[in-house]
Amino acid sequence: MAKRIEFSVTGGPDVLNYVDFTPREPAEHEVLVANKAIGINYIDTYVRSGLYPPPSLPSGLGTEAAGVVEKVGAGVTHIHVGDRVVYAQSALGAYSEYHCVPADNVAKLPNAISFEQAAASFLKGLTVYYLLHMTYKVRPGETIVFHAAAGGVGRIACQWAKALGIKLIATVGSAEKAEQAKRDGAWAVINYRTENIAERVVALTNGEKVNVVYDSVGKSTWLASLDCLKPHGLMISFGNSSGAVTGVDLGILNQKGGLFVTRPSLGNYITTKQLLQHAANELFSMIASGAISVNVPSEQQFPLKDAVRAHKTLESRATSGSCLLIP
Ligand SMILES: NC(=O)c1ccc[n+]([C@@H]2O[C@H](COP(=O)([O-])OP(=O)(O)OC[C@H]3O[C@@H](n4cnc5c(N)ncnc54)[C@H](OP(=O)(O)O)[C@@H]3O)[C@@H](O)[C@H]2O)c1
């Protein structure tokens, strides 16, 4: 018997239950991982709440963890029992002591990266990689806007942008988070609870505005984000932390200057084992060199059985950087 988090109805954090289960054998091309640290991602709250309904109920939750390979299925040749690995794109069920994952979706961990660092950074770091390098190729010296920049994805984005010589204008929800974003290398910071985002971006760029906005906040920042863009600028809407953007009248893109909009996800970009390996290597070398710090404070590391408390804390906007579940 092992333990995992399961839910039988969608809803608030309290639907999550800590239950006994028997891990299944890995199927062909799968590995069974004994999780040592599990990544909590905001998308997990969308699945739990029903915004992104799970394929079936009862369901497991989570897609990211780091751990040790316990068993390998038939046909797996590049991963072995005992390997230290991390994954971010599993089927739902990573909030668990054990999880079966397609072997092509796991990356071997360099010795320099701990399980906690890996689980804190893999999904979020791969996301920052594709956002800065693939969705829009940001050039050194270019100014960009990145919302919720003291969150899990946001802290990695600030540090990665700094390492690439990008001038990142961070938005955050408190004075403490503003300080965090500055420490992480943001070029400028806007507290969007007290300041007007577009007015500040216009002022910071001497009226020029920016070519690209990275917006994971969604509903509450959508219009302000469009107002930060130069003509023909690109709005990258990649999350719904404040609620989903719905009912958009496309005419607004014309009114605001012939803008472009995209709604990407990790699964659209990191589509092969080769791409995963390349992006993982870039991320691991950023962490190993010290350019990106992903250490998680103890108050944001929750025992697996406390997933309810972890989700409540994440949704309260009290956290900065990544949160973990520890089996
Ligand atoms: N499309 C993709 O490929 C992809 C991949 C990974 C993550 N994401 C998205 O990126 C975002 C960040 O993910 P994360 O896991 O790193 O979470 P996170 O940023 O650590 O947490 C979400 C943050 O959003 C901000 N926020 C603004 N309005 C909010 C509201 N009404 N309620 C709650 N939070 C609000 C809060 O920061 P402030 O207090 O500073 O406002 C909060 O800390 C999420 O929207 C997630 O869905 C997308």
Short mmCIF file of all heavy atoms in Angstrom, two decimals, residues 64-119:
data_model
loop_
_atom_site.label_atom_id
_atom_site.label_comp_id
_atom_site.label_asym_id
_atom_site.label_seq_id
_atom_site.Cartn_x
_atom_site.Cartn_y
_atom_site.Cartn_z
N GLU A 64 3.84 16.73 -11.91
CA GLU A 64 5.28 17.01 -11.77
C GLU A 64 5.85 16.47 -10.47
O GLU A 64 5.28 16.69 -9.40
CB GLU A 64 5.48 18.53 -11.78
CG GLU A 64 6.93 18.96 -11.54
CD GLU A 64 7.08 20.47 -11.51
OE1 GLU A 64 6.26 21.16 -10.88
OE2 GLU A 64 8.04 20.95 -12.13
N ALA A 65 6.97 15.78 -10.57
CA ALA A 65 7.69 15.35 -9.36
C ALA A 65 9.11 14.96 -9.73
O ALA A 65 9.43 14.74 -10.91
CB ALA A 65 6.97 14.19 -8.69
N ALA A 66 9.93 14.84 -8.69
CA ALA A 66 11.30 14.31 -8.85
C ALA A 66 11.45 13.14 -7.91
O ALA A 66 10.88 13.15 -6.80
CB ALA A 66 12.32 15.39 -8.53
N GLY A 67 12.20 12.13 -8.32
CA GLY A 67 12.36 10.97 -7.46
C GLY A 67 13.31 9.95 -8.07
O GLY A 67 14.13 10.28 -8.94
N VAL A 68 13.16 8.71 -7.61
CA VAL A 68 14.06 7.63 -8.02
C VAL A 68 13.25 6.58 -8.79
O VAL A 68 12.16 6.19 -8.35
CB VAL A 68 14.72 6.99 -6.79
CG1 VAL A 68 15.62 5.84 -7.20
CG2 VAL A 68 15.50 8.03 -6.00
N VAL A 69 13.80 6.11 -9.90
CA VAL A 69 13.11 5.10 -10.69
C VAL A 69 13.10 3.78 -9.93
O VAL A 69 14.15 3.27 -9.53
CB VAL A 69 13.78 4.93 -12.07
CG1 VAL A 69 13.15 3.77 -12.84
CG2 VAL A 69 13.67 6.22 -12.87
N GLU A 70 11.90 3.26 -9.71
CA GLU A 70 11.72 2.02 -8.93
C GLU A 70 11.62 0.80 -9.85
O GLU A 70 12.15 -0.26 -9.56
CB GLU A 70 10.43 2.17 -8.11
CG GLU A 70 10.15 1.07 -7.15
CD GLU A 70 10.56 1.41 -5.74
OE1 GLU A 70 11.21 2.44 -5.50
OE2 GLU A 70 10.23 0.60 -4.85
N LYS A 71 10.91 0.97 -10.98
CA LYS A 71 10.75 -0.14 -11.94
C LYS A 71 10.71 0.46 -13.34
O LYS A 71 10.28 1.61 -13.51
CB LYS A 71 9.42 -0.88 -11.71
CG LYS A 71 9.31 -1.61 -10.40
CD LYS A 71 7.96 -2.32 -10.29
CE LYS A 71 7.81 -2.99 -8.93
NZ LYS A 71 6.49 -3.61 -8.75
N VAL A 72 11.12 -0.32 -14.34
CA VAL A 72 10.98 0.14 -15.74
C VAL A 72 10.13 -0.86 -16.50
O VAL A 72 10.21 -2.08 -16.28
CB VAL A 72 12.34 0.34 -16.45
CG1 VAL A 72 13.19 1.38 -15.74
CG2 VAL A 72 13.10 -0.97 -16.56
N GLY A 73 9.30 -0.34 -17.42
CA GLY A 73 8.45 -1.20 -18.23
C GLY A 73 9.21 -1.73 -19.44
O GLY A 73 10.35 -1.33 -19.72
N ALA A 74 8.55 -2.63 -20.16
CA ALA A 74 9.17 -3.20 -21.35
C ALA A 74 9.49 -2.10 -22.35
O ALA A 74 8.76 -1.12 -22.47
CB ALA A 74 8.21 -4.22 -21.99
N GLY A 75 10.61 -2.25 -23.05
CA GLY A 75 10.96 -1.32 -24.12
C GLY A 75 11.67 -0.07 -23.65
O GLY A 75 12.05 0.77 -24.46
N VAL A 76 11.88 0.08 -22.33
CA VAL A 76 12.59 1.27 -21.83
C VAL A 76 14.08 0.96 -21.79
O VAL A 76 14.49 0.04 -21.08
CB VAL A 76 12.10 1.68 -20.42
CG1 VAL A 76 12.89 2.87 -19.90
CG2 VAL A 76 10.61 1.98 -20.45
N THR A 77 14.86 1.72 -22.56
CA THR A 77 16.29 1.41 -22.61
C THR A 77 17.16 2.55 -22.06
O THR A 77 18.27 2.30 -21.61
CB THR A 77 16.73 1.15 -24.07
OG1 THR A 77 16.27 2.23 -24.87
CG2 THR A 77 16.17 -0.16 -24.59
N HIS A 78 16.66 3.79 -22.08
CA HIS A 78 17.54 4.92 -21.71
C HIS A 78 17.39 5.32 -20.24
O HIS A 78 18.11 6.20 -19.76
CB HIS A 78 17.29 6.13 -22.62
CG HIS A 78 15.94 6.76 -22.46
ND1 HIS A 78 14.78 6.11 -22.81
CD2 HIS A 78 15.57 7.97 -21.99
CE1 HIS A 78 13.74 6.92 -22.57
NE2 HIS A 78 14.20 8.03 -22.06
N ILE A 79 16.45 4.69 -19.52
CA ILE A 79 16.26 4.99 -18.09
C ILE A 79 16.36 3.67 -17.33
O ILE A 79 15.83 2.65 -17.79
CB ILE A 79 14.85 5.59 -17.84
CG1 ILE A 79 14.61 6.84 -18.69
CG2 ILE A 79 14.63 5.89 -16.35
CD1 ILE A 79 15.32 8.09 -18.24
N HIS A 80 17.05 3.71 -16.17
CA HIS A 80 17.29 2.47 -15.43
C HIS A 80 16.81 2.59 -13.98
O HIS A 80 16.69 3.70 -13.45
CB HIS A 80 18.78 2.13 -15.45
CG HIS A 80 19.32 2.00 -16.84
ND1 HIS A 80 19.99 3.02 -17.48
CD2 HIS A 80 19.22 0.99 -17.74
CE1 HIS A 80 20.31 2.63 -18.71
NE2 HIS A 80 19.85 1.41 -18.90
N VAL A 81 16.55 1.42 -13.37
CA VAL A 81 16.19 1.39 -11.95
C VAL A 81 17.30 2.08 -11.16
O VAL A 81 18.48 1.86 -11.40
CB VAL A 81 15.99 -0.07 -11.48
CG1 VAL A 81 15.84 -0.14 -9.96
CG2 VAL A 81 14.77 -0.68 -12.17
N GLY A 82 16.88 2.96 -10.25
CA GLY A 82 17.85 3.69 -9.42
C GLY A 82 18.21 5.07 -9.96
O GLY A 82 18.82 5.86 -9.23
N ASP A 83 17.86 5.37 -11.21
CA ASP A 83 18.16 6.70 -11.76
C ASP A 83 17.39 7.78 -10.98
O ASP A 83 16.23 7.59 -10.63
CB ASP A 83 17.75 6.80 -13.24
CG ASP A 83 18.74 6.13 -14.18
OD1 ASP A 83 19.85 5.77 -13.73
OD2 ASP A 83 18.40 5.98 -15.37
N ARG A 84 18.07 8.91 -10.75
CA ARG A 84 17.39 10.10 -10.21
C ARG A 84 16.77 10.86 -11.38
O ARG A 84 17.48 11.20 -12.33
CB ARG A 84 18.39 11.01 -9.48
CG ARG A 84 19.06 10.36 -8.28
CD ARG A 84 20.21 11.22 -7.75
NE ARG A 84 19.74 12.41 -7.06
CZ ARG A 84 19.84 13.64 -7.52
NH1 ARG A 84 20.40 13.89 -8.69
NH2 ARG A 84 19.40 14.66 -6.82
N VAL A 85 15.47 11.11 -11.32
CA VAL A 85 14.78 11.70 -12.47
C VAL A 85 13.79 12.79 -12.03
O VAL A 85 13.45 12.90 -10.84
CB VAL A 85 14.00 10.63 -13.28
CG1 VAL A 85 14.94 9.62 -13.91
CG2 VAL A 85 12.94 9.95 -12.42
N VAL A 86 13.33 13.54 -13.02
CA VAL A 86 12.27 14.53 -12.80
C VAL A 86 11.34 14.48 -14.00
O VAL A 86 11.76 14.13 -15.11
CB VAL A 86 12.87 15.95 -12.60
CG1 VAL A 86 13.64 16.43 -13.83
CG2 VAL A 86 11.79 16.96 -12.22
N TYR A 87 10.06 14.78 -13.76
CA TYR A 87 9.10 14.84 -14.86
C TYR A 87 8.09 15.95 -14.59
O TYR A 87 7.84 16.31 -13.42
CB TYR A 87 8.38 13.49 -15.06
CG TYR A 87 7.65 12.98 -13.84
CD1 TYR A 87 6.33 13.33 -13.58
CD2 TYR A 87 8.29 12.14 -12.92
CE1 TYR A 87 5.65 12.87 -12.45
CE2 TYR A 87 7.62 11.67 -11.79
CZ TYR A 87 6.31 12.04 -11.56
OH TYR A 87 5.66 11.59 -10.44
N ALA A 88 7.52 16.48 -15.68
CA ALA A 88 6.54 17.57 -15.55
C ALA A 88 5.29 17.32 -16.36
O ALA A 88 4.32 18.05 -16.22
CB ALA A 88 7.16 18.89 -15.99
N GLN A 89 5.31 16.30 -17.23
CA GLN A 89 4.21 16.11 -18.16
C GLN A 89 3.64 14.69 -18.05
O GLN A 89 3.46 14.01 -19.05
CB GLN A 89 4.69 16.37 -19.59
CG GLN A 89 5.09 17.82 -19.86
CD GLN A 89 5.81 18.00 -21.19
OE1 GLN A 89 6.91 17.47 -21.39
NE2 GLN A 89 5.19 18.72 -22.10
N SER A 90 3.33 14.29 -16.82
CA SER A 90 2.74 12.96 -16.63
C SER A 90 1.22 13.07 -16.75
O SER A 90 0.66 14.16 -16.81
CB SER A 90 3.09 12.41 -15.25
OG SER A 90 2.36 13.10 -14.25
N ALA A 91 0.56 11.91 -16.75
CA ALA A 91 -0.89 11.92 -16.54
C ALA A 91 -1.16 12.40 -15.11
O ALA A 91 -0.25 12.39 -14.27
CB ALA A 91 -1.45 10.51 -16.75
N LEU A 92 -2.39 12.80 -14.82
CA LEU A 92 -2.73 13.26 -13.46
C LEU A 92 -2.40 12.17 -12.45
O LEU A 92 -2.64 10.98 -12.71
CB LEU A 92 -4.21 13.61 -13.37
CG LEU A 92 -4.68 14.79 -14.20
CD1 LEU A 92 -6.20 14.95 -14.08
CD2 LEU A 92 -3.97 16.07 -13.76
N GLY A 93 -1.83 12.56 -11.30
CA GLY A 93 -1.53 11.56 -10.27
C GLY A 93 -0.16 11.70 -9.65
O GLY A 93 0.27 10.84 -8.89
N ALA A 94 0.54 12.82 -9.93
CA ALA A 94 1.88 12.99 -9.35
C ALA A 94 1.83 13.34 -7.86
O ALA A 94 2.84 13.20 -7.17
CB ALA A 94 2.65 14.07 -10.11
N TYR A 95 0.69 13.78 -7.33
CA TYR A 95 0.56 14.01 -5.88
C TYR A 95 0.45 12.64 -5.23
O TYR A 95 -0.62 12.20 -4.79
CB TYR A 95 -0.71 14.80 -5.56
CG TYR A 95 -0.74 16.28 -5.85
CD1 TYR A 95 0.13 16.88 -6.74
CD2 TYR A 95 -1.69 17.10 -5.23
CE1 TYR A 95 0.06 18.25 -7.00
CE2 TYR A 95 -1.77 18.45 -5.48
CZ TYR A 95 -0.90 19.03 -6.36
OH TYR A 95 -1.00 20.38 -6.62
N SER A 96 1.57 11.95 -5.14
CA SER A 96 1.54 10.54 -4.77
C SER A 96 2.94 10.08 -4.37
O SER A 96 3.93 10.69 -4.76
CB SER A 96 1.10 9.74 -6.01
OG SER A 96 1.12 8.36 -5.73
N GLU A 97 2.99 9.00 -3.58
CA GLU A 97 4.31 8.44 -3.25
C GLU A 97 4.95 7.77 -4.46
O GLU A 97 6.18 7.73 -4.57
CB GLU A 97 4.17 7.44 -2.09
CG GLU A 97 3.84 8.13 -0.78
CD GLU A 97 3.59 7.16 0.36
OE1 GLU A 97 3.41 5.94 0.11
OE2 GLU A 97 3.56 7.62 1.52
N TYR A 98 4.12 7.23 -5.35
CA TYR A 98 4.62 6.54 -6.56
C TYR A 98 3.76 6.98 -7.75
O TYR A 98 2.56 7.18 -7.60
CB TYR A 98 4.49 5.02 -6.43
CG TYR A 98 5.37 4.44 -5.35
CD1 TYR A 98 4.89 4.28 -4.06
CD2 TYR A 98 6.68 4.07 -5.63
CE1 TYR A 98 5.69 3.78 -3.06
CE2 TYR A 98 7.49 3.55 -4.63
CZ TYR A 98 7.00 3.41 -3.35
OH TYR A 98 7.81 2.91 -2.36
N HIS A 99 4.40 7.05 -8.95
CA HIS A 99 3.61 7.41 -10.13
C HIS A 99 4.26 6.79 -11.37
O HIS A 99 5.49 6.81 -11.51
CB HIS A 99 3.58 8.94 -10.27
CG HIS A 99 2.55 9.46 -11.22
ND1 HIS A 99 1.32 8.86 -11.40
CD2 HIS A 99 2.55 10.53 -12.04
CE1 HIS A 99 0.62 9.54 -12.29
NE2 HIS A 99 1.34 10.56 -12.70
N CYS A 100 3.42 6.25 -12.26
CA CYS A 100 3.90 5.72 -13.54
C CYS A 100 3.90 6.84 -14.58
O CYS A 100 2.90 7.56 -14.74
CB CYS A 100 2.99 4.59 -14.03
SG CYS A 100 3.30 3.03 -13.19
N VAL A 101 5.03 6.97 -15.30
CA VAL A 101 5.23 8.10 -16.20
C VAL A 101 5.82 7.56 -17.51
O VAL A 101 6.69 6.67 -17.48
CB VAL A 101 6.24 9.10 -15.58
CG1 VAL A 101 6.36 10.35 -16.43
CG2 VAL A 101 5.88 9.44 -14.16
N PRO A 102 5.40 8.07 -18.68
CA PRO A 102 6.06 7.68 -19.93
C PRO A 102 7.57 7.97 -19.84
O PRO A 102 7.96 9.07 -19.44
CB PRO A 102 5.39 8.56 -20.99
CG PRO A 102 4.07 8.95 -20.39
CD PRO A 102 4.31 9.03 -18.91
N ALA A 103 8.38 7.00 -20.22
CA ALA A 103 9.84 7.17 -20.08
C ALA A 103 10.34 8.38 -20.89
O ALA A 103 11.31 9.04 -20.49
CB ALA A 103 10.55 5.90 -20.53
N ASP A 104 9.69 8.68 -22.00
CA ASP A 104 10.13 9.82 -22.82
C ASP A 104 9.85 11.16 -22.14
O ASP A 104 10.33 12.19 -22.60
CB ASP A 104 9.43 9.80 -24.19
CG ASP A 104 10.05 8.76 -25.11
OD1 ASP A 104 11.05 8.14 -24.71
OD2 ASP A 104 9.53 8.59 -26.24
N ASN A 105 9.05 11.15 -21.07
CA ASN A 105 8.72 12.40 -20.38
C ASN A 105 9.58 12.64 -19.15
O ASN A 105 9.34 13.59 -18.41
CB ASN A 105 7.24 12.42 -19.96
CG ASN A 105 6.32 12.56 -21.15
OD1 ASN A 105 6.77 12.66 -22.28
ND2 ASN A 105 5.02 12.56 -20.91
N VAL A 106 10.54 11.74 -18.89
CA VAL A 106 11.39 11.98 -17.72
C VAL A 106 12.78 12.41 -18.17
O VAL A 106 13.25 12.04 -19.25
CB VAL A 106 11.52 10.75 -16.77
CG1 VAL A 106 10.16 10.20 -16.38
CG2 VAL A 106 12.38 9.68 -17.36
N ALA A 107 13.40 13.23 -17.33
CA ALA A 107 14.79 13.66 -17.58
C ALA A 107 15.63 13.19 -16.41
O ALA A 107 15.18 13.23 -15.26
CB ALA A 107 14.86 15.17 -17.71
N LYS A 108 16.85 12.74 -16.71
CA LYS A 108 17.76 12.34 -15.63
C LYS A 108 18.27 13.61 -14.95
O LYS A 108 18.58 14.59 -15.62
CB LYS A 108 18.93 11.54 -16.18
CG LYS A 108 18.55 10.14 -16.59
CD LYS A 108 19.80 9.33 -16.85
CE LYS A 108 19.47 8.16 -17.76
NZ LYS A 108 20.62 7.36 -18.13
N LEU A 109 18.40 13.53 -13.62
CA LEU A 109 18.84 14.70 -12.86
C LEU A 109 20.36 14.71 -12.71
O LEU A 109 20.92 13.71 -12.25
CB LEU A 109 18.26 14.64 -11.45
CG LEU A 109 16.93 15.29 -11.20
CD1 LEU A 109 16.62 15.24 -9.71
CD2 LEU A 109 16.97 16.73 -11.67
N PRO A 110 21.00 15.83 -13.02
CA PRO A 110 22.43 15.94 -12.69
C PRO A 110 22.60 15.92 -11.17
O PRO A 110 21.70 16.33 -10.44
CB PRO A 110 22.81 17.33 -13.23
CG PRO A 110 21.68 17.80 -14.06
CD PRO A 110 20.46 17.03 -13.65
N ASN A 111 23.77 15.45 -10.70
CA ASN A 111 23.99 15.37 -9.24
C ASN A 111 23.86 16.72 -8.57
O ASN A 111 23.50 16.80 -7.39
CB ASN A 111 25.39 14.79 -8.95
CG ASN A 111 25.43 13.31 -9.30
OD1 ASN A 111 24.39 12.64 -9.30
ND2 ASN A 111 26.60 12.81 -9.63
N ALA A 112 24.15 17.79 -9.31
CA ALA A 112 24.13 19.13 -8.71
C ALA A 112 22.72 19.61 -8.37
O ALA A 112 22.55 20.60 -7.65
CB ALA A 112 24.78 20.14 -9.68
N ILE A 113 21.71 18.94 -8.87
CA ILE A 113 20.32 19.40 -8.67
C ILE A 113 19.62 18.45 -7.69
O ILE A 113 19.55 17.24 -7.93
CB ILE A 113 19.53 19.39 -10.00
CG1 ILE A 113 20.33 20.04 -11.14
CG2 ILE A 113 18.15 20.02 -9.82
CD1 ILE A 113 20.33 21.51 -11.21
N SER A 114 19.09 19.01 -6.60
CA SER A 114 18.39 18.18 -5.61
C SER A 114 16.97 17.86 -6.10
O SER A 114 16.45 18.51 -7.02
CB SER A 114 18.30 18.92 -4.27
OG SER A 114 17.43 20.03 -4.39
N PHE A 115 16.34 16.87 -5.45
CA PHE A 115 14.95 16.54 -5.80
C PHE A 115 14.05 17.76 -5.59
O PHE A 115 13.16 18.04 -6.39
CB PHE A 115 14.44 15.38 -4.94
CG PHE A 115 15.12 14.06 -5.20
CD1 PHE A 115 15.70 13.36 -4.16
CD2 PHE A 115 15.18 13.53 -6.48
CE1 PHE A 115 16.33 12.14 -4.39
CE2 PHE A 115 15.80 12.31 -6.71
CZ PHE A 115 16.39 11.61 -5.67
N GLU A 116 14.31 18.49 -4.50
CA GLU A 116 13.46 19.66 -4.20
C GLU A 116 13.65 20.73 -5.26
O GLU A 116 12.67 21.32 -5.74
CB GLU A 116 13.82 20.23 -2.80
CG GLU A 116 13.39 19.36 -1.64
CD GLU A 116 14.34 18.19 -1.39
OE1 GLU A 116 15.42 18.13 -2.02
OE2 GLU A 116 14.00 17.31 -0.56
N GLN A 117 14.89 20.99 -5.64
CA GLN A 117 15.12 22.00 -6.69
C GLN A 117 14.46 21.58 -8.00
O GLN A 117 13.88 22.41 -8.72
CB GLN A 117 16.62 22.20 -6.92
CG GLN A 117 17.35 22.91 -5.80
CD GLN A 117 18.85 22.90 -6.03
OE1 GLN A 117 19.44 21.87 -6.39
NE2 GLN A 117 19.48 24.04 -5.82
N ALA A 118 14.57 20.29 -8.31
CA ALA A 118 14.02 19.81 -9.59
C ALA A 118 12.50 19.94 -9.62
O ALA A 118 11.92 20.44 -10.59
CB ALA A 118 14.43 18.35 -9.80
N ALA A 119 11.85 19.49 -8.52
CA ALA A 119 10.38 19.55 -8.50
C ALA A 119 9.88 20.99 -8.43
O ALA A 119 8.77 21.28 -8.85
CB ALA A 119 9.84 18.73 -7.33
#
